[in-house]
Structure formats: structure tokens, C-alpha cells
Amino acid sequence: AQSVTQPDIHITVSEGASLELRCNYSYGATPYLFWYVQSPGQGLQLLLKYFSGDTLVQGIKGFEAEFKRSQSSFNLRKPSVHWSDAAEYFCAVREDYKLSFGAGTTVTVRA
Amino acid sequence: DVKVTQSSRYLVKRTGEKVFLECVQDMDHENMFWYRQDPGLGLRLIYFSYDVKMKEKGDIPEGYSVSREKKERFSLILESASTNQTSMYLCASTPSVQNQPQHFGDGTRLSIL
């Protein structure tokens, strides 16, 4: 069965600084990978997705992620963080039509 | 635009009550899901449905049941609510096409007293 690991439970970053969130997956075939963001009290919003092709994918809100098959990773990045990026971020892998989620990374943005 | 609507944002019930959480999607998606979300545990799948009247257990089905009488509606039922079912519940839907994401509702924060 597939699994997803997000090694960082909590990250604090200064506004304007860069952000990288780590995600490692365990899956035998070509994975369908996703990053979601959850603001406090809200549902999950899709940031970006990877299925095939270019390993660097662009998403909404200025986020991007890079798929590295050799490292089984799909890390999320943003060059310059805004205060509104404070949220919880989830990496997920799809098998059939089910998703397996990582435990999430909470991002705090300091002024 | 995709819309998944959960009937309640906040719900408070008592131990032993039968609780219904409702979810409706307007995208004609075949697949619908119920998750619960707890701090440090991420999202855990309770049940999912891949067609009307069809259901399959997820990772943590104990204490829950589901109903899908119509394609657009997927209900989660707590037969006899217990305090350990206090949680955030999220509904999602997705089409059967492999390369599509799941779309989520805003969640229901359920407290069992």
C-alpha cells in the first residue's frame, strides 16, 4: 500500500523568506501526487498536482513542486512567503480513486 | 466551479445519540469519501462510495456507517455517538478518471459531549 511521509510537523518562516515543505512517498508505480492547503477552520484546497511529464509543476498562490523519482520525493516550494500562507499543508498520493495523506506540516509566518 | 457542501460547519451532540452528517456535490462525480481529521494524524479515510448504493470501508470504519441513495449525496452516520468521535469530518468527491484530484467540503467540526 502507498504511504506518504511529511517529516516536518511545524515550520516557522519569516515573511518574504523562501519556504520548502518536504514530502516522501512510497508507491510502486508512477504516482499521482498532490499538495493541498488548509486554512484554519476550512476544508482542503488543491495547490497543485503531478501526473506525468515535466517534473516541476506550478500551482496556485505562487507555489511549485518538484517530483524526484530517484528520491521518492515531491517537495513544495515558494520563493517568497506571505502572511496569508500560514496554514497546514498536506501531501497526498492517489491509488485508484483513493488518496493517502501525510500527517501535515503547519506553517507559521512571522512578521 | 466544483462545489462540495457539508450541511453543518459545527455540531454538538450527546453521547449515545444517532448523528447524521450530510454531504452534497454538484459535479456528477462517481466517487465520494468521508474522512476524519485529528491533530498529528492527518486525514484518515472512514468510508467511500464509488457508485450509488455502493460503499467500501476505509481505514477506520468502526462506529460509523454510510448511505448513498443518490449520486450527489453521501451521508455519514454515527450509530451511537461516543466522545472519541469528537473530530473534524471532511467530505470529498472525485470523478473516476485517474488524474483528477479530490474536491473537499469545508468540514464539520463535531463535538460529542
Side-chain angles (χ1 to χ4, degrees):
Chain A
Q2 70 276 29
S3 67
V4 179
T5 302
Q6 293 181 245
D8 304 304
I9 296 173
H10 190 205
I11 287 179
T12 299
V13 61
S14 297
E15 192 169 13
S18 63
L19 174 68
E20 182 167 14
L21 304 182
R22 296 183 290 165
C23 172
N24 294 98
Y25 66 91
S26 170
Y27 188 62
T30 301
Y32 298 115
L33 295 161
F34 306 86
W35 274 100
Y36 286 87
V37 61
Q38 184 181 34
S39 298
Q42 303 295 316
L44 275 67
Q45 180 183 20
L46 180 70
L47 282 176
L48 47 78
K49 58 188 179 183
Y50 171 79
F51 304 123
S52 63
D54 194 349
T55 56
L56 185 65
V57 293
Q58 303 296 321
I60 63 171
K61 302 177 187 268
F63 284 91
E64 66 178 25
E66 186 171 13
F67 171 64
K68 293 186 177 180
R69 184 185 298 277
S70 61
Q71 298 176 18
S72 297
S73 70
F74 188 55
N75 294 348
L76 182 72
R77 300 193 292 254
K78 185 168 183 176
S80 178
V81 168
H82 187 261
W83 64 266
S84 60
D85 294 321
E88 191 163 17
Y89 293 79
F90 293 94
C91 182
V93 61
R94 175 169 170 159
E95 183 180 23
D96 296 328
Y97 31 78
K98 292 191 290 181
L99 286 181
S100 290
F101 288 88
T105 299
T106 298
V107 173
T108 298
V109 180
R110 59 182 174 220
Chain B
D1 200 13
V2 171
K3 187 70 175 175
V4 178
T5 303
Q6 294 183 229
S7 54
S8 303
R9 292 297 303 276
Y10 302 94
L11 207 52
V12 180
K13 296 292 183 180
R14 296 204 174 274
T15 303
E17 279 192 73
K18 191 170 186 176
V19 181
F20 293 85
L21 302 184
E22 306 287 346
C23 175
V24 176
Q25 51 97 359
D26 65 358
M27 294 83 67
D28 202 37
H29 287 169
E30 292 81 10
N31 308 299
M32 297 187 73
F33 307 82
W34 276 106
Y35 297 89
R36 65 175 282 175
Q37 182 181 14
D38 301 287
L41 298 178
L43 276 74
R44 293 180 291 168
L45 182 64
I46 304 171
Y47 265 98
F48 68 99
S49 168
Y50 51 90
D51 202 351
V52 175
K53 297 189 185 295
M54 306 303 289
K55 61 185 179 183
E56 283 198 26
K57 294 179 180 179
D59 300 319
I60 52 165
E62 296 78 18
Y64 303 94
S65 63
V66 290
S67 173
R68 192 161 180 209
E69 296 297 317
K70 294 184 178 181
K71 191 174 186 179
E72 67 270 19
R73 186 180 297 271
F74 192 36
S75 303
L76 179 69
I77 305 156
L78 286 65
E79 297 291 343
S80 178
S82 63
T83 55
N84 63 10
Q85 292 178 309
T86 291
S87 186
M88 169 73 105
Y89 289 86
L90 291 163
C91 175
S93 72
T94 191
S96 291
V97 179
Q98 278 283 5
N99 63 357
Q100 294 302 308
Q102 290 187 8
H103 300 273
F104 285 82
D106 285 337
T108 296
R109 186 163 293 282
L110 176 65
S111 296
I112 307 297
L113 305 179

